[in-house]
Amino acid sequence: MINFNDKEIVVEFQYKPAEIEKKWQQEWITQGLDKTLENSRRQKFYALSMFPYPSGNLHMGHVRNYVITDVIARFKRLQGYSVLHPMGWDAFGLPAENAAIDNGISPEEWTKKNIAKMRQQLQTLGLSIDWEREITTCSPDYYKWTQWLFLKLYRAGLAYQKEATVNWDPIDQTVLANEQVDAEGYSWRSGAKVEKKLLCQWFLKITDYADHLLNDLDTLKGWPESVKLMQENWIGKSLGAYIKFPIKDTEESISVFTTRPDTIHGVTYLVLAPENPLVPKISKSEYKEKIKEFIEEIINESEIERTADNKPLKGIFIGAKVINPFNGEEIPVFIASYVLVDYGTGAVMGVPAHDNRDFKFAKENQLPIKVVVIPKDFDLKETAQSPLEEAYVDTGIIVNSKQFNGMLSEDAKAAVTEYAKKNSIGEAKIQYRLRDWLISRQRYWGCPIPIIHCSNCGSVAIPDSNLPVELPKDVEFTGRGSSPLASLEEWVNVTCPNCGSPAKRETDTMDTFIDSSWYYLRYTDSTNSQEIFNSNKVNYWMPVDQYVGGVEHAILHLLYSRFFTKFLKDQKLIDVSEPFQNLLTQGMVQGITYKNLKTGKYIPLNQVNPENPIDPSTGDVLEVFYEKMSKSKYNGVDPQEVLGKYGADTARMFILFKAPPEKDLEWSSSDVEGQFRFLNRVWRLVRSHIKNRVNIVKNEILTKDEKDLKRFIHTIIKDISQDLEENYQFNTAVAELMKLSNILNDFKDVNSSIYQEGVVTLLILLSPFAPHISEELWHNLGYKESIHLQKWPTVNNEALILDEVTIVIQAMGKTKGTIQAPASVTNDELEKLVRNSETGKRLLDKREIKKIIIVPQKLINFVFVK
Ligand code: ANZ
Ligand code: ZN
């Protein structure tokens, strides 16, 4: 219900895809085509928003996301595409389990309630969503296929188990998710200092696809460069070499990974990661106690803490020495926190002269610093003697390096690597930062991993016919002790499907990122109970033509989805190798924020007078700024409130008008009002047209005013089509709509057929943005069929042509006057016209013309002989 001009009108429009399909089927039958969508040759468009986590409340970020895809979907439909615009729920995850612990409500019940609430909220936005395709990742008919996919990966050797650390709460005796550990490393529940514990867990071998994932970024022309760069850095490909350093007095050696083999002669020490298994083997006994203390101190630090640039580099000597195989020098071996155990070989050759961290470490530990690379323009005589003040990290010319002296770094890298290879002390190596994906979660509310552990057979896949492995229902949630699944004896104990002996179910569930790595495929055939999807259907719809969502998913979600798509392509289940052709990362919705800088507290909007923002409890003047809407900052605007007051159309118009979709949007109630007033103007315009039209006159020959109006209408069609086609500039499109409405308002002859064309065009152009009011007015105009089943207007190029143009007359490049000419004027005709005009006569009198320059429809310039 919307309140327009004090009249309450009920505007109802439910999008019914079946209605559209029925209309098309008629067309196909007459064209002799197959009448199922996927077999028709109709052009498709797949518009997708990142599906929400059902927290229970729709926020403005959601609204913006779904309105953007909805406008695109509606626009494409009007253009004649068959459009897929689905919605679903990313419904597994920790909050449901926390609700169970806190309120005793089952995760399933909690989730279902939230979904119902959010679905209802979404429906008030007027989104043209195909609800028949709705999916919910926590429902067994969805997660059956998640498990099926897991087993595909497992059988392809891409799912495996190995030991990995988890966060362990020693008081509650339970595993914690990363989100449950605060920044200082304490448990959210018990407050205990969280420890690291080794557990056998499941991984997906995404690293097998590292190169593929990296190289194919180039094919994603419709993705923001920034997102591609983030993915590239995450994959982190480094070219370098492994080099082996023999350990003194033993047969063994330590292998290091380096991207700078050209600096091999500058190595003055070697560092192992503290967890490197070599440490206990090679350290000398008198150092063991100190090593133990050191490891205890740093073992619980996160990777970020360990590699932070601003901290002193902690490390100790462990008593061992290695030999540099290139020059026979003996060098000491350290352990240090900045060397990570699971990157490269977990060992680094220290080159303090050419690496910042090594430089710092060498200074702190009084280790020698040896220069082996100098800049190309380096003056040896002047500076050679003075001690280095900082590392020289660039490439350059090699010195102090025997046979490699004088080489450029790039050549020396190759030469050193080749030498290493020839002498069996190393080889070229490509290293990725990307690690395998740890998918095990010791939680209840996730997709069960469909594996049985048998003491005879090892890990056994559950046969496809027994899927899904359903989550048991009667579970108690305490947040303490082993995971809820692990404590359910009757669920855990089973017989081995292979040999029949007693066996145990896997009790880990999957990371919820798995659920969202393939949901866009399931939408294409969401109710299929026989297969994950029909190949005809998935191949018709894929790839997603336009994906829209938050930039916070720029790395993991998108990378995992790309990985799954590539895997499924390799399995010949789908034809595409990239899931999302175009990606739009929408900006944040920001609210006005009041903060007391003295107390650091945020003050709720309703406690502040915007004219005079002071803290009601202290009287301090408040800092006022815009920031992403969030509960903790009390700066959110509830979509329900706005919808209740102005209706969905106004909210949609405001969101689209206020900022381009990829930019942040500052919420402003006066701008919301502005859009409301605009829609009211459209309402009045159309209603008065309906009332005042008596007898629509279609002139054979248009009057000048009609011609001008027609040209204007078609210019707007052209501009808005461009705005929507290229880069989705909705904000300028809305501005054009406002212009058109103003021009129509000023037009006097309401019985002109061109005026009528203008009104009809305005409504159709407006319909993707404000679907309710445009539908209502459309029917008021007398049309039976929905406005959303109409065709997007096409530009009449003839109407764009001006009859007359104003041409600037110049002499020697200086403007002397103007002249009116028919738009179709030829150069010769123009010259004649000008010569006969007053200005022309005056200008050309007694001058000798050297050259005439004409810019058609714009300008004529006479150049004279001097
Ligand atoms: C010697 C050297 C000399 C290095 C020099 C750099 C500059 P990226 O580019 O990120 O791959 N490194 C190797 N393994 C490591 C580990 N497990 N933990 C921490 N650092 C490690 O970085 C590769 C460089 O990072 C390697 O090249 C190594 O230091 C270090 F002038 O080797 B370099
Ligand atoms: Zn068995």
Side-chain angles (χ1 to χ4, degrees):
M1 187 147 68
I2 317 176
N3 206 331
F4 276 113
N5 304 308
D6 301 327
K7 243 197 309 184
E8 287 203 333
I9 58 153
V10 180
V11 177
E12 257 179 55
F13 172 68
Q14 270 301 322
Y15 168 70
K16 299 185 198 81
E19 211 173 278
I20 297 186
E21 249 178 70
K22 214 158 70 208
K23 184 174 155 165
W24 287 343
Q25 279 173 5
Q26 290 305 320
E27 282 175 33
W28 300 333
I29 291 164
T30 51
Q31 288 167 25
L33 296 173
D34 192 313
K35 76 174 176 25
T36 58
L37 189 56
E38 289 79 12
N39 288 334
S40 77
R41 270 170 278 152
R42 198 174 189 98
Q43 274 237 60
K44 64 92 186 180
F45 193 93
Y46 187 172
L48 182 66
S49 310
M50 291 181 183
F51 66 165
Y53 176 78
S55 59
N57 257 316
L58 207 63
H59 57 64
M60 278 303 172
H62 292 132
V63 174
R64 190 176 193 195
N65 193 174
Y66 310 139
V67 166
I68 290 172
T69 38
D70 190 54
V71 177
I72 297 171
R74 288 178 183 279
F75 170 60
K76 288 293 167 187
R77 253 183 236 117
L78 292 171
Q79 281 190 321
Y81 287 84
S82 86
V83 172
L84 176 53
H85 184 218
M87 182 58 74
W89 310 98
D90 190 10
F92 272 135
L94 202 53
E97 222 163 314
N98 290 342
I101 297 169
D102 294 343
N103 311 322
I105 177 170
S106 89
E108 185 181 355
E109 201 184 319
W110 186 83
T111 306
K112 279 191 175 155
K113 257 196 189 149
N114 286 348
I115 289 176
K117 204 167 143 205
M118 282 175 83
R119 188 192 299 112
Q120 189 267 327
Q121 290 176 339
L122 276 182
Q123 278 163 346
T124 61
L125 282 172
L127 304 175
S128 59
I129 284 168
D130 186 347
W131 285 104
E132 283 167 26
R133 294 175 184 264
E134 178 179 0
I135 55 178
T136 309
T137 58
C138 67
S139 104
D141 57 16
Y142 182 87
Y143 70 67
K144 169 178 179 176
W145 301 109
T146 308
Q147 293 174 341
W148 184 86
L149 267 175
F150 173 88
L151 291 178
K152 276 246 163 239
L153 287 155
Y154 177 71
R155 293 192 186 106
L158 292 170
Y160 67 94
Q161 278 182 293
K162 82 172 178 202
E163 291 222 308
T165 52
V166 293
N167 302 307
W168 179 251
D169 180 331
I171 293 184
D172 281 350
Q173 295 279 306
T174 191
V175 175
L176 298 176
N178 286 337
E179 307 90 282
Q180 296 173 316
V181 183
D182 70 16
E184 277 78 48
Y186 292 94
S187 162
W188 70 308
R189 255 181 76 82
S190 70
K193 177 83 187 164
V194 173
E195 296 170 0
K196 299 274 175 191
K197 192 171 162 176
L198 274 179
L199 275 188
C200 195
Q201 305 189 69
W202 287 94
F203 287 81
L204 296 186
K205 226 177 188 173
I206 190 173
T207 50
D208 269 15
Y209 281 82
D211 236 2
H212 217 46
L213 288 166
L214 182 67
N215 294 339
D216 283 0
L217 285 174
D218 281 347
T219 67
L220 300 175
K221 304 277 181 257
W223 281 39
E225 287 304 321
S226 57
V227 173
K228 287 193 273 187
L229 190 65
M230 282 191 261
Q231 297 235 330
E232 186 181 329
N233 290 338
W234 189 261
I235 296 166
K237 182 174 183 172
S238 294
L239 304 177
Y242 277 178
I243 295 175
K244 272 196 274 187
F245 288 72
I247 301 167
K248 198 185 161 201
D249 304 330
T250 71
E251 297 294 298
E252 287 193 76
S253 62
I254 300 177
S255 186
V256 302
F257 171 66
T258 176
T259 47
R260 293 295 302 272
D262 55 319
T263 64
I264 185 74
H265 283 88
V267 178
T268 56
Y269 64 97
L270 207 127
V271 201
L272 298 176
E275 307 91 329
N276 191 316
L278 281 172
V279 174
K281 276 198 222 154
I282 67 170
S283 52
K284 292 271 155 3
S285 50
E286 61 267 38
Y287 292 89
K288 298 248 189 249
E289 194 52 37
K290 266 181 117 178
I291 293 171
K292 203 175 139 229
E293 276 168 28
F294 179 78
I295 290 179
E296 272 167 13
E297 190 185 320
I298 61 122
I299 199 81
N300 286 328
E301 287 181 358
S302 70
E303 185 172 322
I304 298 164
E305 285 173 273
R306 284 178 55 167
T307 52
D309 279 340
N310 52 2
K311 294 225 275 192
L313 296 174
K314 283 182 255 175
I316 52 167
F317 178 56
I318 61 168
K321 295 214 161 151
V322 291
I323 314 289
N324 183 338
F326 279 73
N327 57 15
E329 273 175 28
E330 247 178 48
I331 50 182
V333 179
F334 285 71
I335 54 174
S337 57
Y338 73 88
V339 177
L340 305 172
V341 69
D342 52 2
Y343 186 65
T345 61
V348 177
M349 63 186 215
V351 187
H354 303 295
D355 180 88
N356 290 325
R357 255 183 340 197
D358 293 351
F359 186 82
K360 204 169 154 193
F361 190 80
K363 285 273 179 200
E364 278 166 26
N365 295 284
Q366 285 96 43
L367 291 158
I369 297 172
K370 185 178 160 197
V371 173
V372 290
V373 186
I374 53 171
K376 282 186 196 153
D377 53 4
F378 190 77
D379 188 343
L380 265 180
K381 273 165 269 154
E382 234 178 74
T383 23
Q385 300 311 321
S386 61
L388 224 49
E389 270 163 32
E390 56 179 11
Y392 173 69
V393 299
D394 276 346
T395 53
I397 297 168
I398 305 298
V399 295
N400 295 331
S401 303
K402 294 206 222 157
Q403 73 264 42
F404 305 107
N405 284 345
M407 283 185 181
L408 291 174
S409 286
E410 287 313 318
D411 300 329
K413 282 181 188 177
V416 168
T417 308
E418 202 186 290
Y419 177 93
K421 172 104 191 159
K422 259 203 196 123
N423 294 282
S424 307
I425 50 171
E427 61 185 340
K429 177 75 191 176
I430 296 171
Q431 185 68 46
Y432 295 93
R433 208 148 269 286
L434 184 69
R435 321 262 166 96
D436 278 344
W437 175 9
L438 198 178
I439 60 152
S440 278
R441 297 291 179 272
Q442 293 71 37
R443 312 261 125 226
Y444 167 80
W445 196 233
C447 176
I449 294 176
I451 292 282
I452 284 171
H453 298 284
C454 167
S455 50
N456 297 330
C457 319
S459 308
V460 181
I462 289 184
D464 285 354
S465 56
N466 291 355
L467 297 182
V469 175
E470 286 203 41
L471 281 169
K473 303 243 176 195
D474 38 0
V475 183
E476 226 194 299
F477 295 92
T478 59
R480 283 181 290 274
S482 58
S483 98
L485 288 181
S487 53
L488 280 181
E489 296 277 321
E490 64 280 29
W491 187 80
V492 171
N493 293 317
V494 286
T495 51
C496 170
N498 216 8
C499 70
S501 47
K504 286 189 188 306
R505 276 190 200 283
E506 172 61 60
T507 59
D508 284 351
T509 53
M510 297 182 210
D511 179 3
T512 57
F513 270 119
I514 294 194
D515 310 325
S516 55
S517 292
W518 73 279
Y519 76 111
Y520 48 90
L521 299 170
R522 182 70 178 170
Y523 279 139
T524 67
D525 192 13
S526 62
T527 54
N528 196 333
S529 58
Q530 302 307 307
E531 304 169 277
I532 183 165
F533 37 66
N534 168 280
S535 73
N536 210 8
K537 291 188 178 177
V538 79
N539 288 327
Y540 173 71
W541 287 111
M542 287 300 290
V544 172
D545 295 277
Q546 183 63 57
Y547 198 25
V548 182
V551 75
E552 66 275 17
H553 291 301
I555 299 177
L556 296 183
H557 163 60
L558 292 172
L559 194 70
Y560 295 153
S561 298
R562 296 180 61 222
F563 165 46
F564 268 51
T565 299
K566 289 181 187 310
F567 169 69
L568 289 170
K569 166 120 203 265
D570 287 349
Q571 294 283 315
K572 307 213 165 25
L573 282 162
I574 54 175
D575 287 347
V576 294
S577 55
E578 283 291 338
F580 313 123
Q581 182 136 46
N582 295 289
L583 173 71
L584 192 164
T585 47
Q586 101 231 28
M588 307 276 180
V589 182
Q590 301 181 319
I592 196 158
T593 313
Y594 298 103
K595 187 176 183 183
N596 185 334
L597 291 183
K598 283 191 199 149
T599 61
K601 285 202 173 113
Y602 291 90
I603 315 297
L605 298 186
N606 59 8
Q607 294 178 20
V608 180
N609 171 7
E611 313 276 297
N612 180 25
I614 52 170
D615 188 330
S617 51
T618 65
D620 292 322
V621 176
L622 297 172
E623 183 82 354
V624 185
F625 51 96
Y626 279 91
E627 208 168 336
K628 182 186 172 187
M629 288 184 179
S630 83
K631 278 206 190 94
S632 60
K633 307 213 163 96
Y634 307 110
N635 62 351
V637 176
D638 182 3
Q640 293 312 113
E641 220 172 89
V642 182
L643 292 180
K645 190 160 170 201
Y646 300 104
D649 285 356
T650 299
R652 295 170 59 116
M653 292 289 285
F654 163 76
I655 283 179
L656 296 163
F657 178 62
K658 181 71 187 186
E662 68 284 358
K663 293 269 158 45
D664 288 346
L665 178 158
E666 293 179 355
W667 191 269
S668 139
S669 7
S670 59
D671 287 350
V672 177
E673 285 277 349
Q675 287 304 314
F676 184 60
R677 280 197 303 274
F678 166 56
L679 289 181
N680 271 287
R681 281 201 300 279
V682 173
W683 178 264
R684 282 195 299 270
L685 175 82
V686 181
R687 298 293 298 194
S688 82
H689 169 62
I690 293 166
K691 209 160 83 198
N692 298 331
R693 65 180 170 184
V694 192
N695 185 8
I696 301 293
V697 184
K698 192 160 185 207
N699 288 328
E700 277 301 317
I701 296 170
L702 301 184
T703 66
K704 173 157 187 326
D705 282 354
E706 283 183 319
K707 269 190 192 162
D708 285 347
L709 179 61
K710 185 156 186 177
R711 194 172 57 249
F712 196 83
I713 294 169
H714 284 269
T715 311
I716 295 269
I717 297 174
K718 188 171 162 216
D719 291 349
I720 295 190
S721 305
Q722 257 169 23
D723 289 339
L724 296 186
E725 203 77 68
E726 299 155 14
N727 300 326
Y728 303 123
Q729 295 308 298
F730 307 119
N731 53 328
T732 50
V734 172
E736 304 281 346
L737 285 171
M738 294 167 104
K739 261 199 248 164
L740 179 56
S741 133
N742 288 343
I743 294 276
L744 289 171
N745 243 326
D746 294 344
F747 197 79
K748 295 287 168 302
D749 184 5
V750 297
N751 279 316
S752 154
S753 65
I754 305 301
Y755 179 75
Q756 165 139 313
E757 183 186 341
V759 171
V760 167
T761 306
L762 174 66
L763 285 184
I764 297 182
L765 296 181
L766 180 68
S767 69
F769 300 86
H772 303 89
I773 183 175
S774 51
E775 175 80 341
E776 179 71 15
L777 290 171
W778 184 253
H779 289 311
N780 289 176
L781 278 174
Y783 296 106
K784 288 274 167 308
E785 198 183 48
S786 166
I787 193 169
H788 303 291
L789 297 175
Q790 306 309 310
K791 290 217 156 67
W792 187 256
T794 46
V795 181
N796 178 341
N797 281 315
E798 252 168 53
L800 295 180
I801 297 169
L802 278 169
D803 289 354
E804 266 198 347
V805 286
T806 306
I807 289 172
V808 174
I809 305 173
Q810 290 187 339
M812 306 298 282
K814 289 219 176 78
T815 299
K816 300 292 178 183
T818 60
I819 189 171
Q820 292 300 114
S824 58
V825 72
T826 64
N827 288 356
D828 285 349
E829 286 165 357
L830 178 63
E831 191 187 327
K832 241 181 240 160
L833 263 180
V834 174
R835 279 178 188 279
N836 290 330
S837 72
E838 283 307 306
T839 323
K841 280 182 195 153
R842 206 170 356 99
L843 265 182
L844 303 176
D845 188 33
K846 293 186 201 129
R847 305 294 296 264
E848 195 187 330
I849 296 171
K850 189 172 147 196
K851 201 163 64 173
I852 301 175
I853 301 163
I854 293 177
V855 181
Q857 308 220 322
K858 291 219 167 70
L859 177 144
I860 179 162
N861 180 18
F862 296 94
V863 182
F864 304 122
V865 179
K866 279 194 192 135

